[in-house]
Amino acid sequence: MATSSGTTALQAAVESLELNPGDKVFTTPFTFMATVSVLLACGLVPVFVDIDPNTFNIDPGKLYQAIKNYPETRAIIVVHLYGLPAAMETIMEMAVENRLKVIEDCAQAHGARIGNKLVGTFGQLATFSFYGTKNIATGEGGMVVTGDDTMAEKIRMLINHGQRRRYYHEILGHNFRMSNVHAAIGIEQLKKLVSFTEKRRANARYLSSHISNPMVVLPKENVGYYHVYHQYTVRIKNDRENFLRHLTGNGVGFGVHYPLCIPDQEVCKKKPVIDTGISSAREAAREVVSLPVHPGLAEDDLVKIVQAVNNYRG
Ligand SMILES: *Cc1c(COP(=O)(O)O)cnc(C)c1O
Protein backbone atom coordinates (compact mmCIF):
# COMPACT_ATOMS: atom_id res chain seq x y z
CA MET A 1 0.00 0.00 0.00
CA ALA A 2 1.78 3.11 -1.24
CA THR A 3 1.66 6.17 1.02
CA SER A 4 2.64 9.83 0.98
CA SER A 5 5.71 9.24 3.20
CA GLY A 6 7.50 6.78 5.44
CA THR A 7 5.97 8.55 8.41
CA THR A 8 2.39 8.18 7.19
CA ALA A 9 3.16 4.53 6.36
CA LEU A 10 4.28 4.04 9.97
CA GLN A 11 1.24 5.85 11.32
CA ALA A 12 -1.16 3.72 9.29
CA ALA A 13 0.70 0.57 10.38
CA VAL A 14 0.52 1.56 14.05
CA GLU A 15 -3.17 2.54 13.80
CA SER A 16 -4.00 -0.78 12.12
CA LEU A 17 -2.89 -2.62 15.28
CA GLU A 18 -5.87 -1.02 17.09
CA LEU A 19 -4.00 -0.55 20.36
CA ASN A 20 -5.49 1.53 23.17
CA PRO A 21 -4.12 4.88 24.33
CA GLY A 22 -1.57 4.25 27.07
CA ASP A 23 -0.54 0.86 25.67
CA LYS A 24 3.22 0.24 25.60
CA VAL A 25 5.31 -0.44 22.50
CA PHE A 26 8.97 -1.47 22.53
CA THR A 27 11.32 0.35 20.22
CA THR A 28 14.86 1.61 19.81
CA PRO A 29 16.14 4.88 21.27
CA PHE A 30 18.54 5.26 18.33
CA THR A 31 16.59 6.01 15.16
CA PHE A 32 15.05 8.86 13.22
CA MET A 33 12.34 10.61 15.26
CA ALA A 34 9.47 9.48 13.00
CA THR A 35 9.70 5.89 14.29
CA VAL A 36 8.62 7.16 17.68
CA SER A 37 6.59 10.27 16.88
CA VAL A 38 3.84 8.10 15.36
CA LEU A 39 3.57 6.24 18.68
CA LEU A 40 3.31 9.52 20.59
CA ALA A 41 0.75 10.81 18.08
CA CYS A 42 -1.38 7.71 18.75
CA GLY A 43 -1.17 8.18 22.54
CA LEU A 44 1.00 5.08 22.93
CA VAL A 45 3.93 4.81 25.32
CA PRO A 46 7.30 3.96 23.80
CA VAL A 47 9.43 1.63 25.91
CA PHE A 48 13.01 2.25 24.81
CA VAL A 49 15.31 -0.77 24.71
CA ASP A 50 19.04 -0.15 24.29
CA ILE A 51 21.02 -0.98 21.15
CA ASP A 52 23.77 -3.49 20.52
CA PRO A 53 26.86 -1.28 20.11
CA ASN A 54 28.17 -3.51 17.30
CA THR A 55 25.10 -3.25 15.08
CA PHE A 56 23.40 -0.02 16.27
CA ASN A 57 20.15 -2.05 16.25
CA ILE A 58 17.95 -3.05 19.18
CA ASP A 59 19.78 -5.53 21.43
CA PRO A 60 17.84 -8.84 21.63
CA GLY A 61 19.29 -9.59 25.09
CA LYS A 62 18.05 -6.23 26.39
CA LEU A 63 14.70 -6.84 24.71
CA TYR A 64 14.42 -10.18 26.54
CA GLN A 65 14.93 -8.36 29.84
CA ALA A 66 12.50 -5.57 28.90
CA ILE A 67 9.78 -8.10 28.04
CA LYS A 68 10.20 -9.57 31.54
CA ASN A 69 9.90 -6.13 33.13
CA TYR A 70 7.05 -4.89 30.93
CA PRO A 71 5.09 -8.04 29.98
CA GLU A 72 1.96 -5.97 29.27
CA THR A 73 3.64 -4.37 26.22
CA ARG A 74 1.63 -5.01 23.06
CA ALA A 75 3.94 -4.45 20.10
CA ILE A 76 7.43 -3.63 18.91
CA ILE A 77 8.72 -1.37 16.15
CA VAL A 78 12.06 -2.73 14.98
CA VAL A 79 14.31 -0.46 12.90
CA HIS A 80 16.94 -1.80 10.48
CA LEU A 81 19.24 1.15 11.05
CA TYR A 82 21.65 2.33 8.34
CA GLY A 83 20.53 -0.59 6.13
CA LEU A 84 21.67 -3.40 8.44
CA PRO A 85 18.96 -5.91 9.38
CA ALA A 86 18.17 -6.18 13.10
CA ALA A 87 18.46 -9.66 14.69
CA MET A 88 15.02 -10.66 13.40
CA GLU A 89 15.16 -14.43 14.06
CA THR A 90 15.67 -13.92 17.79
CA ILE A 91 13.31 -10.96 17.96
CA MET A 92 10.50 -12.85 16.17
CA GLU A 93 10.91 -15.83 18.50
CA MET A 94 10.44 -13.58 21.52
CA ALA A 95 7.60 -11.71 19.82
CA VAL A 96 5.66 -14.88 19.02
CA GLU A 97 6.17 -16.24 22.52
CA ASN A 98 4.92 -13.00 24.09
CA ARG A 99 2.21 -12.17 21.51
CA LEU A 100 3.90 -8.94 20.50
CA LYS A 101 2.83 -7.48 17.17
CA VAL A 102 5.89 -6.58 15.08
CA ILE A 103 6.27 -3.60 12.74
CA GLU A 104 9.56 -3.38 10.86
CA ASP A 105 10.68 0.15 10.00
CA CYS A 106 12.56 -0.53 6.76
CA ALA A 107 12.94 3.16 5.80
CA GLN A 108 16.72 2.70 5.51
CA ALA A 109 16.85 -0.92 4.43
CA HIS A 110 15.28 -1.53 1.00
CA GLY A 111 16.49 -4.95 -0.14
CA ALA A 112 18.43 -5.78 3.03
CA ARG A 113 18.15 -9.42 4.07
CA ILE A 114 19.21 -12.12 6.47
CA GLY A 115 20.18 -15.13 4.38
CA ASN A 116 17.55 -15.03 1.67
CA LYS A 117 14.82 -13.51 3.80
CA LEU A 118 14.21 -9.85 3.07
CA VAL A 119 13.58 -7.28 5.77
CA GLY A 120 9.89 -6.42 5.78
CA THR A 121 8.87 -10.10 5.63
CA PHE A 122 9.50 -11.01 9.28
CA GLY A 123 6.87 -8.97 11.15
CA GLN A 124 3.09 -8.57 10.66
CA LEU A 125 3.70 -5.23 8.97
CA ALA A 126 6.63 -3.30 7.55
CA THR A 127 7.06 0.24 6.32
CA PHE A 128 9.38 1.84 3.78
CA SER A 129 10.27 5.43 2.94
CA PHE A 130 11.07 6.86 -0.48
CA TYR A 131 12.19 10.25 0.77
CA GLY A 132 14.92 11.91 -1.34
CA THR A 133 17.84 10.60 0.72
CA LYS A 134 16.74 6.95 0.93
CA ASN A 135 18.12 4.06 -1.12
CA ILE A 136 15.33 4.59 -3.66
CA ALA A 137 13.37 7.80 -3.77
CA THR A 138 10.16 9.34 -5.10
CA GLY A 139 10.79 12.77 -3.59
CA GLU A 140 8.37 12.06 -0.76
CA GLY A 141 6.74 8.67 -0.47
CA GLY A 142 6.37 5.49 1.51
CA MET A 143 4.82 2.05 1.63
CA VAL A 144 3.26 -0.40 4.06
CA VAL A 145 3.74 -4.07 3.27
CA THR A 146 2.06 -7.06 4.90
CA GLY A 147 1.45 -10.70 4.09
CA ASP A 148 -1.99 -10.54 5.70
CA ASP A 149 -4.96 -9.65 3.46
CA THR A 150 -7.11 -8.40 6.34
CA MET A 151 -4.36 -6.07 7.54
CA ALA A 152 -3.83 -4.89 3.95
CA GLU A 153 -7.51 -4.01 3.63
CA LYS A 154 -7.40 -2.09 6.90
CA ILE A 155 -4.30 -0.16 5.81
CA ARG A 156 -5.98 0.71 2.48
CA MET A 157 -8.88 2.19 4.42
CA LEU A 158 -6.69 4.07 6.90
CA ILE A 159 -4.74 5.78 4.13
CA ASN A 160 -7.85 6.66 2.14
CA HIS A 161 -10.37 8.39 4.47
CA GLY A 162 -11.55 5.17 6.11
CA GLN A 163 -13.56 4.16 3.08
CA ARG A 164 -13.75 0.80 1.35
CA ARG A 165 -16.36 2.11 -1.06
CA ARG A 166 -16.16 5.70 -2.22
CA TYR A 167 -18.01 8.11 0.13
CA TYR A 168 -18.88 5.37 2.66
CA HIS A 169 -16.58 6.00 5.63
CA GLU A 170 -16.45 3.05 8.01
CA ILE A 171 -13.51 4.06 10.20
CA LEU A 172 -11.57 7.25 10.95
CA GLY A 173 -9.01 7.47 8.17
CA HIS A 174 -6.66 9.95 6.55
CA ASN A 175 -5.41 11.05 3.21
CA PHE A 176 -2.04 9.28 3.35
CA ARG A 177 -2.12 8.30 -0.34
CA MET A 178 0.85 8.43 -2.66
CA SER A 179 0.17 10.55 -5.73
CA ASN A 180 0.33 8.89 -9.14
CA VAL A 181 3.16 11.24 -10.12
CA HIS A 182 5.30 10.01 -7.22
CA ALA A 183 4.30 6.42 -7.99
CA ALA A 184 5.51 6.78 -11.59
CA ILE A 185 8.91 7.89 -10.29
CA GLY A 186 8.91 4.99 -7.84
CA ILE A 187 8.28 2.39 -10.54
CA GLU A 188 11.38 3.58 -12.40
CA GLN A 189 13.45 3.84 -9.20
CA LEU A 190 12.54 0.29 -8.25
CA LYS A 191 14.19 -0.98 -11.44
CA LYS A 192 17.45 0.57 -10.23
CA LEU A 193 17.35 -0.73 -6.66
CA VAL A 194 19.62 -3.73 -7.27
CA SER A 195 22.30 -1.72 -9.11
CA PHE A 196 22.12 1.14 -6.58
CA THR A 197 22.51 -1.37 -3.73
CA GLU A 198 25.44 -3.13 -5.39
CA LYS A 199 27.15 0.23 -5.85
CA ARG A 200 26.55 1.17 -2.21
CA ARG A 201 28.00 -2.18 -1.10
CA ALA A 202 31.01 -1.81 -3.40
CA ASN A 203 31.64 1.69 -2.00
CA ALA A 204 31.37 0.34 1.55
CA ARG A 205 33.78 -2.50 0.74
CA TYR A 206 36.25 0.01 -0.68
CA LEU A 207 36.05 2.21 2.42
CA SER A 208 36.34 -0.75 4.81
CA SER A 209 39.36 -2.21 3.03
CA HIS A 210 41.21 1.11 2.69
CA ILE A 211 40.47 3.00 5.90
CA SER A 212 43.18 2.04 8.37
CA ASN A 213 43.07 4.71 11.04
CA PRO A 214 43.01 3.19 14.55
CA MET A 215 40.93 6.15 15.74
CA VAL A 216 38.11 5.18 13.37
CA VAL A 217 35.92 2.17 14.19
CA LEU A 218 34.44 0.66 11.02
CA PRO A 219 30.89 -0.71 10.61
CA LYS A 220 30.43 -4.48 10.99
CA GLU A 221 28.38 -6.86 8.90
CA ASN A 222 27.60 -10.18 10.60
CA VAL A 223 27.84 -13.37 8.53
CA GLY A 224 24.62 -13.91 6.59
CA TYR A 225 23.49 -10.30 7.01
CA TYR A 226 23.16 -8.36 3.76
CA HIS A 227 23.74 -4.71 4.65
CA VAL A 228 22.45 -2.19 2.08
CA TYR A 229 24.50 0.74 3.46
CA HIS A 230 21.92 3.47 3.54
CA GLN A 231 24.67 4.96 5.71
CA TYR A 232 28.30 3.96 6.14
CA THR A 233 28.69 4.90 9.77
CA VAL A 234 31.94 4.86 11.72
CA ARG A 235 32.66 5.69 15.36
CA ILE A 236 35.16 8.26 16.55
CA LYS A 237 36.03 7.26 20.10
CA ASN A 238 37.27 10.67 21.21
CA ASP A 239 36.50 14.18 20.04
CA ARG A 240 34.15 13.66 17.13
CA GLU A 241 33.87 17.43 16.65
CA ASN A 242 37.57 17.61 15.84
CA PHE A 243 37.19 14.80 13.27
CA LEU A 244 34.24 16.60 11.67
CA ARG A 245 36.32 19.79 11.38
CA HIS A 246 39.08 17.72 9.75
CA LEU A 247 36.61 16.28 7.21
CA THR A 248 35.24 19.74 6.42
CA GLY A 249 38.80 21.07 6.00
CA ASN A 250 39.48 18.27 3.50
CA GLY A 251 36.29 18.82 1.52
CA VAL A 252 34.60 15.58 2.63
CA GLY A 253 30.89 15.67 3.39
CA PHE A 254 29.41 13.78 6.34
CA GLY A 255 26.30 13.36 8.45
CA VAL A 256 25.67 12.63 12.10
CA HIS A 257 22.84 10.10 12.39
CA TYR A 258 21.84 10.88 15.09
CA PRO A 259 23.31 13.40 17.52
CA LEU A 260 20.61 12.94 20.19
CA CYS A 261 18.79 9.76 21.28
CA ILE A 262 15.00 9.82 21.06
CA PRO A 263 14.29 9.75 24.84
CA ASP A 264 16.67 12.72 25.21
CA GLN A 265 14.72 14.79 22.67
CA GLU A 266 12.83 17.76 24.03
CA VAL A 267 9.50 16.37 22.77
CA CYS A 268 9.90 13.18 24.84
CA LYS A 269 10.27 15.16 28.05
CA LYS A 270 6.65 16.27 27.60
CA LYS A 271 5.28 12.79 26.90
CA PRO A 272 5.03 9.57 28.86
CA VAL A 273 7.96 7.42 27.73
CA ILE A 274 9.83 4.59 29.45
CA ASP A 275 13.62 4.44 29.35
CA THR A 276 14.93 0.96 30.27
CA GLY A 277 18.57 2.15 30.18
CA ILE A 278 20.08 3.46 26.98
CA SER A 279 23.80 3.95 27.69
CA SER A 280 24.93 2.27 24.45
CA ALA A 281 22.60 4.46 22.41
CA ARG A 282 23.90 7.59 24.14
CA GLU A 283 27.47 6.52 23.48
CA ALA A 284 26.64 5.96 19.80
CA ALA A 285 25.01 9.39 19.57
CA ARG A 286 28.29 10.93 20.80
CA GLU A 287 30.54 8.92 18.47
CA VAL A 288 28.87 8.23 15.10
CA VAL A 289 29.78 9.85 11.80
CA SER A 290 28.35 8.79 8.44
CA LEU A 291 30.77 9.02 5.51
CA PRO A 292 29.58 9.33 1.89
CA VAL A 293 28.58 5.93 0.43
CA HIS A 294 25.84 6.84 -2.08
CA PRO A 295 25.85 5.30 -5.58
CA GLY A 296 26.82 8.60 -7.21
CA LEU A 297 30.37 8.48 -5.78
CA ALA A 298 33.21 8.31 -8.29
CA GLU A 299 36.54 6.50 -7.73
CA ASP A 300 38.24 9.89 -7.05
CA ASP A 301 35.69 10.66 -4.36
CA LEU A 302 36.42 7.37 -2.60
CA VAL A 303 40.17 7.99 -2.76
CA LYS A 304 39.67 11.47 -1.33
CA ILE A 305 37.49 10.20 1.53
CA VAL A 306 39.99 7.46 2.46
CA GLN A 307 42.93 9.89 2.35
CA ALA A 308 41.17 12.41 4.55
CA VAL A 309 40.15 9.76 7.10
CA ASN A 310 43.57 8.09 7.17
CA ASN A 311 45.35 11.44 7.57
CA TYR A 312 43.37 12.29 10.68
CA ARG A 313 45.71 12.44 13.68
CA GLY A 314 43.25 13.44 16.42
C1 LIG B 1 13.31 8.45 6.86
C2 LIG B 1 12.84 7.63 7.99
C3 LIG B 1 11.49 7.62 8.38
C4 LIG B 1 10.47 8.58 7.85
O1 LIG B 1 10.30 8.55 6.49
P1 LIG B 1 9.73 9.87 5.72
O2 LIG B 1 9.49 9.34 4.35
O3 LIG B 1 10.83 10.88 5.78
O4 LIG B 1 8.51 10.30 6.41
C5 LIG B 1 11.11 6.76 9.40
N1 LIG B 1 11.99 5.95 10.00
C6 LIG B 1 13.30 5.94 9.67
C7 LIG B 1 14.22 5.01 10.36
C8 LIG B 1 13.77 6.79 8.66
O5 LIG B 1 15.06 6.78 8.35
Side-chain angles (χ1 to χ4, degrees):
M1 286 66 66
T3 60
S4 52
S5 73
T7 307
T8 53
L10 273 167
Q11 185 158 342
V14 169
E15 287 186 9
S16 77
L17 297 181
E18 295 179 17
L19 303 178
N20 298 312
D23 279 349
K24 299 184 179 75
V25 179
F26 293 122
T27 194
T28 171
F30 196 56
T31 178
F32 179 59
M33 186 70 215
T35 311
V36 179
S37 52
V38 296
L39 295 175
L40 300 177
C42 292
L44 300 166
V45 178
V47 180
F48 294 106
V49 178
D50 208 2
I51 59 165
D52 173 345
N54 290 310
T55 64
F56 300 105
N57 284 324
I58 199 163
D59 182 330
K62 299 269 168 64
L63 178 62
Y64 181 84
Q65 201 54 51
I67 291 172
K68 280 192 165 173
N69 293 337
Y70 299 95
E72 70 280 18
T73 306
R74 304 281 309 276
I76 175 168
I77 303 185
V78 183
V79 181
H80 308 294
L81 199 72
Y82 305 149
L84 178 66
M88 289 313 293
E89 289 108 329
T90 320
I91 292 168
M92 287 311 297
E93 249 173 60
M94 288 189 263
V96 169
E97 198 161 308
N98 296 281
R99 290 199 203 85
L100 289 168
K101 291 277 184 354
V102 178
I103 299 173
E104 300 177 66
D105 181 346
C106 307
Q108 306 189 357
H110 317 65
R113 50 188 158 82
I114 304 173
N116 286 323
K117 196 161 166 61
L118 287 159
V119 300
T121 64
F122 290 90
Q124 278 76 36
L125 293 153
T127 63
F128 290 84
S129 166
F130 309 121
Y131 178 64
T133 60
K134 310 292 178 172
N135 288 24
I136 52 172
T138 58
E140 295 276 7
M143 189 165 283
V144 185
V145 304
T146 179
D148 179 326
D149 290 339
T150 311
M151 294 295 255
E153 187 64 17
K154 210 186 302 178
I155 299 285
R156 277 191 201 100
M157 291 171 72
L158 282 166
I159 66 181
N160 191 24
H161 301 294
Q163 55 190 350
R164 208 185 311 255
R165 240 169 89 204
R166 202 167 198 188
Y167 305 132
Y168 293 84
H169 306 273
E170 296 171 39
I171 59 169
L172 181 61
H174 313 273
N175 174 2
F176 286 169
R177 297 180 312 250
M178 176 183 274
S179 84
N180 50 9
V181 178
H182 292 89
I185 299 169
I187 287 167
E188 293 308 308
Q189 281 277 294
L190 196 54
K191 296 174 185 166
K192 302 177 187 171
L193 177 59
V194 170
S195 66
F196 281 168
T197 304
E198 281 168 2
K199 188 69 178 18
R200 281 179 183 275
R201 284 177 55 82
N203 291 343
R205 255 194 316 277
Y206 184 94
L207 295 173
S208 288
S209 56
H210 289 82
I211 294 175
S212 58
N213 187 329
M215 274 175 290
V216 179
V217 183
L218 301 178
K220 293 174 190 66
E221 191 175 339
N222 289 342
V223 182
Y225 280 60
Y226 189 84
H227 194 322
V228 296
Y229 291 99
H230 173 62
Q231 301 294 350
Y232 181 91
T233 302
V234 301
R235 285 180 186 262
I236 306 299
K237 279 287 168 190
N238 47 46
D239 205 353
R240 174 176 64 191
E241 292 315 304
N242 196 30
F243 180 72
L244 299 183
R245 277 193 295 275
H246 174 81
L247 290 180
T248 302
N250 284 272
V252 172
F254 59 81
V256 174
H257 309 99
Y258 297 91
L260 196 58
C261 294
I262 304 298
D264 295 336
Q265 297 286 348
E266 205 56 41
V267 56
C268 284
K269 295 180 183 149
K270 299 166 196 144
K271 297 280 181 186
V273 306
I274 295 171
D275 172 354
T276 68
I278 60 157
S279 57
S280 295
R282 287 208 176 99
E283 187 174 48
R286 283 194 300 274
E287 296 179 351
V288 290
V289 179
S290 303
L291 298 172
V293 74
H294 61 85
L297 290 175
E299 177 106 38
D300 300 359
D301 300 323
L302 289 165
V303 171
K304 184 171 159 182
I305 297 161
V306 168
Q307 262 173 6
V309 173
N310 285 347
N311 288 341
Y312 179 61
R313 291 286 165 269

